[in-house]
Amino acid sequence: MKNKQVSLAEVARAAGVSKMTASRVLRDEGGFSEKTRTKVMAEVDRLGYLPNRLATVFAGDQKTTFVGVSIPELGNEIFAQVLEGIDRKLVAFGHQSVLGLTEHALENEEKWIETVLSWQPAGLIVTGRSHTPRAVQMLRNSGLPVVELWDFNSAPLDMCVGLNHFDSGYSMGRYLATNGYRKFAYIGTSHHSANAASSRLAGYTKAIEDAGGTLIKQLQLRDAPGFYPGYYGTEQLLASGEEAEVIFYQNDNMAVGGYEYCKKKGLSVPDDIGIAGWGDLPIASIQPYRLTSISVPHLKIGQQAAELMLSRIAGQPMVSTKDVGFRLIPGTTVQKAP
Amino acid sequence: MKNKQVSLAEVARAAGVSKMTASRVLRDEGGFSEKTRTKVMAEVDRLGYLPNRLATVFAGDQKTTFVGVSIPELGNEIFAQVLEGIDRKLVAFGHQSVLGLTEHALENEEKWIETVLSWQPAGLIVTGRSHTPRAVQMLRNSGLPVVELWDFNSAPLDMCVGLNHFDSGYSMGRYLATNGYRKFAYIGTSHHSANAASSRLAGYTKAIEDAGGTLIKQLQLRDAPGFYPGYYGTEQLLASGEEAEVIFYQNDNMAVGGYEYCKKKGLSVPDDIGIAGWGDLPIASIQPYRLTSISVPHLKIGQQAAELMLSRIAGQPMVSTKDVGFRLIPGTTVQKAP
DNA sequence: TTGAAAGCGATACCAC
DNA sequence: GTGGTATCGCTTTCAA
C-alpha cells in the first residue's frame, strides 16, 4: 500500500486535542486558545500534514476549486493566450484550471464535460457556442456557472464573452471589395464541426456576394493554422490556376506564411496579389510591411471570461454577455481604392 | 441552495433496488440480472444521474484521475506544445491535466504543488529541475509519481524527460567560435530564478571562454521571449555601441525578430552580423533563409513525459530518465569557417 | 474553548 | 443476485 497520508485525526491525536479543535485551528475559524493553536500547528509541521480537500468538499457538500476550461487546441497561439489569461485570473482567486482540448470536435467536448462534472467543479468555461444536445443538457442540469467564449452569442447557456466572427469576416470582405477587388480566395484549416473560423468564412462569403464579387477558391487544409500551412496552402492555391486577386487567411500566421511564399515566387504584395490575415498576432509586429488584418483583444477575452466566472461563483449579480468587438487594420498588404 | 444533484441512492430507490445493486450496474461489475440492469439504466437516463467521483475516490481511498501539469507560461509556444502533447496522451488514458502556470517563479510552483496535492492527484508533471526545499519535501512525501521535464537531470526526484540545456548552449557557442567569431552577444528574457534558458546561457558563455572569445554583451529583457522583444532587444544591443559579431537568442522567435531589425537597419546577415536561435520553431520554416538554431523534439518531450507518468500510475516497471537530445542546425545566418 | 456524534456519496465486505 | 453495514477524512451541529 501507498504512503498512508497523514490525516487530521492523527494530527489531533498527536496534539492531544479533538479532530474538531484541530480542524478549527487549520481553518483559522476562531474558538480556540493560542496555546492550542501552537500545539496543533507544531504537529502539522512535524507530521507534514496536507489536508485532503476531497474530504472537505465532500463533507461540506461544496464544490471544488476547479474550473474546467476547454479550448480547441494549443497549437493555435490565440487559444494558448486565452487560456493563459483565464488561468492567471483564476489562480489569483484560489482556483485551478482543468484543461480540456477538444481538437474542434463536439464529441470530445461532450466527453470532457461529463468527466469534469463528475469531479464537482466550481464552473466551466468552454470555447464556442455549439455543443452536443447531451452536453447542453448536462451543463444545464449541473446548475453551475458556464461561460462560453470566443464566439459572441446573445443568448448563451449562461454567460458569454466573445466577438461576432461572422461580422469580422464580413467587414474584411467588404473592405476588400471596397478597395476594388473582385476575385477572392480564402485559405484556412478544416474542422469536424462549425466553429468561429467557419463563421468568419461565411461572413466573408456573404460580403463578397453582396458586393457582386466572386469567391473563386477556398482551401481548407487538414492542418493546424500555422505559418507553414499558410505557405504551402498558398502554393496549392496559386498552382491551381485560379487567378485570385486577394487571399484572406484564417489568421495572421497563415497570412505571413502566404506572404513569404508569394515573395519567394516573385509576386509583389499588394501589387500582384493582396493578402489579409486575422487576429493581429505577434508575428505581424516585426514585419517590414503592415499586414491587413482584424485586431481582436485575445487577452481580454480570457480575462473577462475568468472574471465573469469568478463573480458568478462569488454569487454576485452581473451582466452575462460581453461583446469585446474587433477592429479592422487596413495595413499595406492590400491595394487601396483608387 | 443549489440544484441538489441526483445521487446513486435516488437512482436506486427509483429503480426499486439497493444502492449496492445500482452501484454494481453502473460499474458493470457483474452480479445482477439483465432486468435489473435495464431498470437501473433507465432511471439513470431519466434522472440524468452523473456520478460524484469525489465520493468514489474517497470511498476507495484511491487517487483522482487528475495529473497536475506545471509549466512556466503559455506565451512561449514551446511550452504550449509540450502541454498539448502531455494532455492528449493523458486524456487518451482517462486522465485530466490540472494546469499550473508558474511564471518562472519557484514560489508559485510551491504554492501550486501544495494546492494540487490536496486534491489527491494521480501524479505531477513539473517543468525544470529546481524547486523550493518545501516543494521537494511535499513531492517526496506524497509518494506520487513525479516527472520533471525540460531540463534533463540524471538524478531526478522520481522521473525525468528532457535535454541538457547547458550542453546545447555550449554546442552553439563552440560552433560559432569554430566559424571564426570572437565577439559574442546574447539576448534573452529575465526570470526570477535559474532555469533552462540560464543553463543555455551558461553553456554558451563557457564555450566562448574555452575558445578564447568574449561575450561582450548579454541582454535580459523583462518580457516574454517573442518576436517583438527580439526586435527591440536587438535595437537596444546595437544602440549600446558594443560591436557584437554574432547574437545568440533565447529562441527562434526572438532571433527572427532580431533578423528583421537588422534587415531594417540595412545590416546584412550573416555578412555584417551573425544570428542564431534556439528551438527550431515553426516560424523558421517559412523564411527565405535557414536560421542557425538548435533543434529540439518538443512534442516528444510532452508525449514521453505523459508516457512515463502513465506507466508509473499503472505500476509498470520502467526507466525513469530520458535524454531526448538536441541537434545543431548550421543554417545560413552565421558565417562559415573559411 | 472544546468535543462527541452524525453525515456527505460512494464502495468493500459479508450475509442472505 | 441482492442488500445491509461500516468506512473513507472532514465539517456541521449541538451539547458541555
Side-chain angles (χ1 to χ4, degrees):
Chain A
M1 206 55 209
K2 280 280 161 60
N3 290 344
K4 191 68 191 151
Q5 280 186 38
V6 182
S7 76
L8 182 60
E10 296 173 61
V11 172
R13 192 168 346 109
V17 298
S18 73
K19 282 198 302 178
M20 269 322 299
T21 302
S23 172
R24 283 192 269 253
V25 169
L26 276 157
R27 283 173 298 146
D28 202 16
E29 208 209 37
F32 48 81
S33 69
E34 181 53 28
K35 216 168 79 185
T36 303
R37 205 192 71 82
T38 313
K39 264 191 311 189
V40 172
M41 292 313 283
E43 291 305 323
V44 164
D45 285 346
R46 194 175 65 80
L47 299 170
Y49 169 73
L50 283 186
N52 179 342
R53 300 251 255 145
L54 251 37
T56 304
V57 169
F58 193 45
D61 197 21
Q62 310 156 22
K63 300 298 175 191
T64 61
T65 53
F66 293 126
V67 172
V69 181
S70 90
I71 55 175
E73 41 165 335
L74 287 169
N76 185 334
E77 71 183 289
I78 299 191
F79 292 125
Q81 281 181 24
V82 168
L83 176 59
E84 175 141 17
I86 291 173
D87 191 68
R88 290 210 185 178
K89 197 85 191 174
L90 291 180
V91 165
F93 287 80
H95 288 269
Q96 295 80 42
S97 310
V98 175
L99 185 58
L101 296 178
T102 63
E103 303 182 45
H104 298 279
L106 262 31
E107 315 84 75
N108 290 342
E109 188 195 60
E110 176 185 315
K111 185 123 202 296
W112 174 82
I113 289 173
E114 178 172 8
T115 304
V116 172
L117 284 179
S118 73
W119 293 112
Q120 318 302 115
L124 271 75
I125 298 178
V126 300
T127 302
R129 55 188 296 171
S130 51
H131 317 283
T132 64
R134 202 167 86 87
V136 170
Q137 210 199 342
M138 288 189 293
L139 255 17
R140 284 248 158 76
N141 287 347
S142 74
L144 257 30
V146 174
V147 177
E148 291 168 278
L149 58 75
W150 199 221
D151 214 336
F152 180 73
N153 184 344
S154 57
L157 274 168
D158 182 16
M159 297 173 281
C160 177
V161 190
L163 59 110
N164 191 316
H165 289 258
F166 182 94
D167 287 355
S168 75
Y170 191 92
S171 292
M172 181 58 83
R174 190 179 47 193
Y175 175 73
L176 297 176
T178 304
N179 283 5
Y181 288 108
R182 314 298 297 159
K183 291 154 83 176
F184 301 78
Y186 173 86
I187 302 182
T189 59
S190 66
H191 303 114
H192 308 292
S193 53
N195 65 6
S198 325
S199 302
R200 260 131 60 193
L201 173 55
Y204 179 61
T205 308
K206 183 67 166 48
I208 292 169
E209 266 175 30
D210 288 356
T214 319
L215 178 60
I216 62 167
K217 182 100 178 177
Q218 62 177 77
L219 227 55
Q220 316 253 25
L221 308 170
R222 295 186 161 280
D223 211 330
F227 300 110
Y228 189 61
Y231 186 92
Y232 77 74
T234 305
E235 180 172 20
Q236 276 180 34
L237 183 84
L238 297 182
S240 73
E242 317 272 9
E243 297 267 314
E245 295 164 352
V246 61
I247 310 176
F248 178 38
Y249 292 82
Q250 185 174 331
N251 67 29
D252 281 7
N253 289 355
M254 294 191 77
V256 167
Y259 187 101
E260 290 298 329
Y261 180 76
C262 291
K263 214 172 67 181
K264 187 190 167 201
K265 278 295 158 192
L267 292 174
S268 160
V269 177
D271 296 338
D272 298 323
I273 191 162
I275 284 187
W278 192 94
D280 193 22
L281 302 185
I283 186 63
S285 69
I286 60 158
Q287 304 298 355
Y289 52 85
R290 185 67 183 104
L291 182 65
T292 298
S293 186
I294 299 274
S295 175
V296 168
H298 320 123
L299 293 175
K300 198 172 158 192
I301 291 181
Q303 266 184 25
Q304 296 216 340
E307 276 168 17
L308 287 184
M309 175 56 62
L310 289 165
S311 41
R312 265 292 304 271
I313 290 174
Q316 286 161 26
M318 28 149 323
V319 272
S320 58
T321 68
K322 285 206 174 151
D323 185 346
V324 297
F326 59 85
R327 192 166 49 81
L328 192 137
I329 298 175
T332 61
T333 58
V334 302
Q335 291 201 317
K336 295 301 185 282
Chain B
M1 209 51 212
K2 281 283 162 58
N3 289 345
K4 191 68 192 153
Q5 279 186 40
V6 183
S7 76
L8 181 59
E10 295 173 60
V11 172
R13 191 168 347 108
V17 299
S18 74
K19 282 198 305 177
M20 269 320 297
T21 302
S23 173
R24 282 192 269 254
V25 170
L26 276 158
R27 281 174 299 147
D28 202 17
E29 207 209 40
F32 48 80
S33 68
E34 181 53 27
K35 216 168 76 185
T36 305
R37 206 191 70 82
T38 313
K39 265 190 312 188
V40 172
M41 291 314 282
E43 292 304 324
V44 164
D45 284 345
R46 194 174 65 81
L47 299 170
Y49 169 74
L50 282 185
N52 179 342
R53 302 250 256 144
L54 252 37
T56 305
V57 169
F58 195 45
D61 198 21
Q62 309 156 21
K63 300 298 175 190
T64 61
T65 53
F66 293 126
V67 172
V69 181
S70 91
I71 56 176
E73 42 165 332
L74 287 168
N76 185 333
E77 71 184 289
I78 299 189
F79 291 126
Q81 282 181 25
V82 168
L83 176 58
E84 175 142 17
I86 291 173
D87 190 68
R88 290 211 184 176
K89 197 85 192 174
L90 290 180
V91 164
F93 287 80
H95 288 270
Q96 296 80 40
S97 309
V98 175
L99 185 58
L101 296 178
T102 63
E103 303 182 45
H104 298 279
L106 261 33
E107 315 83 75
N108 290 342
E109 188 194 60
E110 176 185 314
K111 187 125 202 297
W112 173 82
I113 289 174
E114 178 172 7
T115 304
V116 171
L117 285 179
S118 73
W119 294 113
Q120 318 301 118
L124 272 76
I125 298 178
V126 299
T127 302
R129 54 189 296 172
S130 51
H131 317 282
T132 66
R134 201 168 85 88
V136 170
Q137 208 199 344
M138 288 189 291
L139 256 16
R140 284 246 158 77
N141 286 348
S142 73
L144 257 29
V146 175
V147 177
E148 290 168 279
L149 59 74
W150 200 223
D151 214 338
F152 180 74
N153 183 344
S154 57
L157 273 169
D158 182 14
M159 297 173 282
C160 177
V161 189
L163 60 108
N164 192 317
H165 289 259
F166 182 94
D167 287 356
S168 75
Y170 191 92
S171 292
M172 181 57 83
R174 190 179 46 194
Y175 175 72
L176 297 176
T178 304
N179 284 5
Y181 289 107
R182 314 297 297 158
K183 291 153 82 178
F184 301 79
Y186 172 86
I187 301 181
T189 59
S190 65
H191 304 114
H192 308 292
S193 53
N195 65 6
S198 324
S199 301
R200 260 131 61 194
L201 173 55
Y204 178 61
T205 307
K206 183 66 164 49
I208 292 168
E209 265 175 31
D210 289 355
T214 319
L215 177 61
I216 62 167
K217 181 100 176 176
Q218 62 176 77
L219 227 55
Q220 317 253 24
L221 308 169
R222 296 187 161 275
D223 211 328
F227 299 112
Y228 188 60
Y231 186 92
Y232 77 73
T234 305
E235 180 172 20
Q236 277 181 33
L237 183 84
L238 296 182
S240 74
E242 316 274 7
E243 297 267 314
E245 295 164 351
V246 61
I247 310 175
F248 178 38
Y249 292 82
Q250 186 175 331
N251 67 30
D252 280 8
N253 289 356
M254 294 191 77
V256 168
Y259 186 100
E260 290 298 330
Y261 181 77
C262 290
K263 214 171 68 181
K264 186 190 168 204
K265 277 296 156 188
L267 291 175
S268 161
V269 177
D271 296 337
D272 297 324
I273 191 162
I275 283 188
W278 192 94
D280 193 22
L281 302 185
I283 186 64
S285 68
I286 60 158
Q287 304 298 354
Y289 51 85
R290 185 70 183 101
L291 182 65
T292 298
S293 186
I294 299 275
S295 175
V296 168
H298 319 123
L299 294 174
K300 198 170 158 193
I301 291 180
Q303 267 183 25
Q304 296 215 342
E307 277 168 18
L308 287 184
M309 176 56 63
L310 288 165
S311 42
R312 265 291 306 269
I313 290 174
Q316 286 160 25
M318 27 148 323
V319 272
S320 57
T321 67
K322 284 202 175 152
D323 186 345
V324 297
F326 60 85
R327 193 166 50 79
L328 193 138
I329 298 175
T332 61
T333 57
V334 302
Q335 292 201 315
K336 295 299 185 281

